[in-house]
Amino acid sequence: MYTSGNESSTEGLLYPIESETREMKKLDGMWNFVRSDSNSPSQGIREKWYTDDLAHFRKTIGMPVPSSYNDITEDAALRDHVGTVWYDRKFFVPKAWSKGDDRVFIRFGSVHYDAIVWINGVQVAKHEIGHLPFEADVTKVLKYGAENRITVLCDNVLLQVTIPQGKVDNQAIDNGVELVQSYTFDFFNYAGIHRSVVLYTVPRVYIQDVAIHTSYEGDEGRIDYQVTISTNETENLQLTVKLYDRNGTHVSTNESEAKLQGTVVIPQVKLWWPYLMDPEPGYLYTMEITLGKAQSNEAPTETKDESVLDVYRMKVGIRTLRWNNSSFLINEKPIYFRGFGRHEDSDIRGKGLDLALLTKDFNLLKWVGANAYRTSHYPYSEESMQFADEHGIMIIDECPSVDTENYSQILLEKHKSSIEQLIHRDRNHPSVVMWSIANEPRTGKLDANAYFAAVAQYTKKLDPTRPITAAIAVNVNDDLAVSTKANKIRHVQTQTEQYRTSTYVQYSTTLQNPKSKI
């Protein structure tokens, strides 16, 4: 019933940083905001609100970014609004950014649910599925050393072919009808620009992506790395990868040419351990990746600065994962999960990123003695993942598929896309120890077997190094997603995981090789 081969693949999306070769400008702050009429969600598109200031079309209000828009005002109609809203703001781009061959990207950490972005009236990006980042090259549409305008359309409508699913119905009111959004999941459908908006520069030839795998033997650690750059012409390029410990001391170097891959070996390695399993939990190294021109004996020697094309730094933790019939092991030691299913929302700001709140949450996690949580029921912020790395908190990383039902090919493709984007974003985090492909799907339905077999197989293809889980909400005898009664799905096995705390018990199903279970 379900076909494969239509999977999309994201590119780039490294977390934005500043370095010797990169600059960054945040566009967080107060934006102008307009709510569309629910019965005319496409009015702004038809009237081309993106071609001028929103204030020229409608009366605007101030709206903080990042935040959910729902609870910012005292307007119940805005809190429960179904349909589109619009944001815009002005910003300047430094004139220096136009010099040389640098490229400029706009990057959104998350817009929920559907987004279209214009800069100076030109559409530059479109993205569906909230909670995940997207970016676009805007080099040619910016005005350098001058004022620019960015406009964002956000649509919060959830349908039977969105991830997560929902329904929209017409409800009679005194003067006509209004749209009513319904869904079966038990949290509020907060919407808006939820995470930071960033402009950043990269050189013409730059480090586009990094994938790592860590291991160790005895006291020696290893980081196998593969770097993707913005050109296929790598013959005259080389990478220098340096590793620095927590104190900033240089501990190892590796160089590679052409293939841009290699292994960094770390003597006397400090492993990444979960909280309370080591005096220094969450130990992270800084990995400095320098892309440069390969030195030729025949060519004149360039200075160090002239040969450097791009520099990118990222935190890495060195640890191994393994599981068998009785244990889940990190660094060959069995782990007992003590934690929660969290939510990423709070008063006023909704799902908007708040570093003070995030810091408090992690302090509470450690105070209560937890070492793990599940990102119920969607991907949390990249900053949250970084906090987990640094604090030694293990993450069961969940895609935004909640209460999935009415299975279809269109839904499957979006489900796969949400997983691909999630794994692409979070694969290098040592804190991420499992992928969760769904929360409480309606797996008693006949199509659940083929649908989740396709999802599980695709997830395993993307990352075979971590177990796959799903939180199952039906009786084990009624569950078809993992039942051998339903076409005897390969590589699927049911195992209940119980995370005991005073406030939360999570039951999940591990979809894994029949010889391996937690």
Side-chain angles (χ1 to χ4, degrees):
M1 174 180 177
Y2 299 109
T3 61
S4 60
N6 297 320
E7 296 89 1
S8 58
S9 181
T10 48
E11 295 181 350
L13 291 173
L14 286 175
Y15 188 77
I17 66 161
E18 292 183 304
S19 73
E20 295 86 336
T21 58
R22 297 173 175 234
E23 295 186 55
M24 189 169 67
K25 178 184 176 74
K26 278 197 173 183
L27 299 184
D28 295 356
M30 295 302 295
W31 291 47
N32 305 305
F33 180 87
V34 168
R35 173 171 62 91
S36 303
D37 297 332
S38 291
N39 57 6
S40 185
S42 62
Q43 179 184 2
I45 296 284
R46 295 195 308 271
E47 298 179 1
K48 299 182 179 180
W49 291 0
Y50 51 84
T51 60
D52 205 342
D53 296 353
L54 288 175
H56 290 166
F57 299 96
R58 287 284 184 91
K59 182 180 179 180
T60 63
I61 62 173
M63 186 60 64
V65 171
S67 75
S68 300
Y69 60 74
N70 307 83
D71 290 341
I72 297 298
T73 72
E74 304 310 308
D75 183 359
L78 180 57
R79 173 181 168 82
D80 299 323
H81 174 65
V82 178
T84 57
V85 299
W86 292 73
Y87 294 77
D88 81 354
R89 65 157 289 175
K90 300 286 187 63
F91 64 95
F92 278 84
V93 177
K95 184 179 292 184
W97 284 12
S98 65
K99 299 176 181 178
D101 294 326
D102 280 6
R103 298 164 66 178
V104 185
F105 282 79
I106 184 80
R107 188 183 194 275
F108 288 78
S110 166
V111 181
H112 186 77
Y113 168 78
D114 203 351
I116 305 176
V117 181
W118 296 264
I119 291 183
N120 298 325
V122 179
Q123 182 176 324
V124 297
K126 190 178 189 308
H127 183 260
E128 181 182 355
I129 301 174
H131 316 291
L132 291 162
F134 62 97
E135 65 183 11
D137 187 336
V138 295
T139 309
K140 295 181 180 180
V141 300
L142 292 173
K143 301 173 183 176
Y144 298 91
E147 190 175 63
N148 295 261
R149 181 184 61 255
I150 183 170
T151 309
V152 179
L153 168 65
C154 171
D155 188 350
N156 71 348
V157 170
L158 301 178
L159 303 171
Q160 291 298 282
V161 290
T162 61
I163 300 290
Q165 291 176 309
K167 294 180 181 179
V168 174
D169 299 305
N170 290 324
Q171 177 176 289
I173 56 176
D174 290 342
N175 58 346
V177 297
E178 67 176 359
L179 296 179
V180 177
Q181 174 80 72
S182 62
Y183 40 80
T184 59
F185 51 83
D186 55 358
F187 55 94
F188 189 75
N189 186 41
Y190 280 113
I193 303 177
H194 283 158
R195 297 173 191 154
S196 289
V197 184
V198 175
L199 281 172
Y200 72 93
T201 70
V202 293
R204 182 179 60 84
V205 178
Y206 68 98
I207 298 165
Q208 189 178 50
D209 210 350
V210 182
I212 65 169
H213 179 264
T214 67
S215 60
Y216 72 94
E217 185 172 346
D219 292 334
E220 186 176 270
R222 292 170 58 93
I223 303 174
D224 299 314
Y225 64 87
Q226 173 70 61
V227 174
T228 304
I229 64 172
S230 58
T231 177
N232 293 325
E233 299 176 4
T234 63
E235 184 177 349
N236 297 317
L237 300 177
Q238 70 175 24
L239 283 178
T240 301
V241 179
K242 294 183 178 181
L243 212 66
Y244 298 86
D245 67 14
R246 181 176 282 181
N247 298 318
T249 302
H250 175 231
V251 295
S252 186
T253 298
N254 179 259
E255 293 185 350
S256 63
E257 296 185 4
K259 291 186 178 181
L260 307 181
Q261 62 184 9
T263 300
V264 185
V265 178
I266 308 101
Q268 303 300 312
V269 65
K270 293 268 194 178
L271 299 179
W272 187 93
W273 287 101
Y275 178 55
L276 297 179
M277 285 195 68
D278 189 82
E280 292 187 89
Y283 194 95
L284 298 175
Y285 290 88
T286 297
M287 185 173 175
E288 179 185 279
I289 306 167
T290 301
L291 175 66
K293 301 175 184 177
Q295 295 297 315
S296 171
N297 293 330
E298 299 177 0
T301 303
E302 294 181 290
T303 67
K304 181 180 179 181
D305 289 343
E306 290 173 334
S307 65
V308 170
L309 299 175
D310 193 17
V311 180
Y312 187 83
R313 295 178 179 89
M314 57 188 286
K315 299 287 189 179
V316 298
I318 298 166
R319 59 106 177 101
T320 60
L321 290 183
R322 190 169 67 83
W323 53 99
N324 55 36
N325 286 341
S326 61
S327 301
F328 183 85
L329 301 101
I330 288 185
N331 302 332
E332 297 303 316
K333 289 189 177 181
I335 296 293
Y336 186 82
F337 288 85
R338 300 182 303 276
F340 302 87
R342 290 180 61 213
H343 264 299
E344 193 181 51
D345 61 28
S346 63
D347 294 343
I348 303 174
R349 61 190 59 75
K351 293 192 185 301
L353 175 65
D354 185 318
L355 295 181
L357 182 68
L358 188 57
T359 302
K360 181 63 174 178
D361 278 354
F362 273 85
N363 286 336
L364 286 171
L365 281 166
K366 295 170 73 174
W367 172 76
V368 81
N371 65 7
Y373 66 81
R374 176 169 61 121
T375 67
S376 47
H377 300 297
Y378 36 80
Y380 291 2
S381 70
E382 291 162 282
E383 292 78 9
S384 178
M385 311 310 293
Q386 294 163 5
F387 271 48
D389 292 342
E390 293 164 2
H391 290 271
I393 303 297
M394 295 177 290
I395 303 296
I396 301 171
D397 212 356
E398 190 159 87
C399 83
S401 175
V402 191
D403 295 4
T404 313
E405 58 183 352
N406 292 341
Y407 307 111
S408 68
Q409 182 65 33
I410 295 175
L411 184 71
L412 176 62
E413 290 175 9
K414 292 184 181 179
H415 197 153
K416 287 182 176 181
S417 177
S418 74
I419 289 173
E420 189 277 332
Q421 291 179 58
L422 175 64
I423 292 177
H424 187 124
R425 192 194 76 167
D426 290 347
R427 62 191 174 189
N428 292 332
H429 288 285
S431 58
V432 176
V433 297
M434 303 182 197
W435 305 114
S436 177
I437 62 175
N439 175 72
E440 300 186 0
R442 307 314 188 216
T443 54
K445 296 191 174 185
L446 184 61
D447 287 349
N449 57 348
Y451 182 92
F452 281 101
V455 173
Q457 288 163 10
Y458 179 63
T459 307
K460 201 64 187 169
K461 175 183 175 182
L462 292 173
D463 181 14
T465 69
R466 294 173 173 94
I468 304 169
T469 74
I472 300 300
V474 302
N475 185 284
V476 66
N477 295 319
D478 299 323
D479 173 48
L480 297 179
V482 295
S483 172
T484 56
K485 293 183 292 185
N487 297 335
K488 296 185 178 180
I489 302 171
R490 296 178 182 178
H491 307 302
V492 177
Q493 179 172 357
T494 301
Q495 172 68 35
T496 300
E497 299 175 60
Q498 192 171 16
Y499 300 91
R500 299 178 180 176
T501 68
S502 59
T503 58
Y504 186 83
V505 177
Q506 168 188 321
Y507 295 95
S508 68
T509 300
T510 300
L511 306 176
Q512 189 53 30
N513 189 299
K515 295 182 180 180
S516 301
K517 64 182 180 180
I518 299 174

